[in-house]
Amino acid sequence: MLGIYKPAEGMTVDQENGTPWPADGMDAPNTLFVRRRIACGDLVEAEKPVDPSADVELENGPPIVPVPETPEIEQPDGAETETPPRSRRSKGEK
């Protein structure tokens, strides 16, 4: 994506599929068609639209996600704590 672009002042720009480009702007796909509209001045860079519902979530703070605790496993005295080596066959053995 190239960023948020909107039609230049007084311009009406169609998207590749023929639908009109939103007047408040949208995230422009990185295509030759869009790059040409930007180069000729039909599309200009726009500010990212403000989503009012996003502000409500930030006022309450980020959601708290509980982190499960991993219980510690106690090893009996003298028990091995390392993984024993695996026996491997060479390519010649079958």
Side-chain angles (χ1 to χ4, degrees):
M1 298 294 175
L2 294 175
I4 307 295
Y5 283 86
K6 67 179 181 179
E9 190 69 32
M11 297 291 295
T12 302
V13 179
D14 288 337
Q15 299 178 44
E16 285 183 88
N17 61 8
T19 59
W21 197 281
D24 57 342
M26 69 175 226
D27 200 6
N30 188 6
T31 63
L32 180 60
F33 177 85
V34 172
R35 290 193 307 267
R36 284 182 182 165
R37 301 291 75 76
I38 294 169
C40 72
D42 290 346
L43 290 174
V44 294
E45 201 163 1
E47 301 261 336
K48 186 172 183 178
V50 178
D51 184 11
S53 63
D55 293 337
V56 174
E57 189 173 317
L58 293 177
E59 289 174 2
N60 297 336
I64 299 173
V65 179
V67 178
E69 292 185 24
T70 306
E72 301 232 0
I73 300 172
E74 294 183 26
Q75 297 289 333
D77 291 335
E80 287 187 29
T81 57
E82 293 184 22
T83 305
R86 296 170 46 188
S87 62
R88 297 183 183 226
R89 293 189 295 178
S90 67
K91 291 184 180 181
E93 294 180 32
K94 289 198 177 187

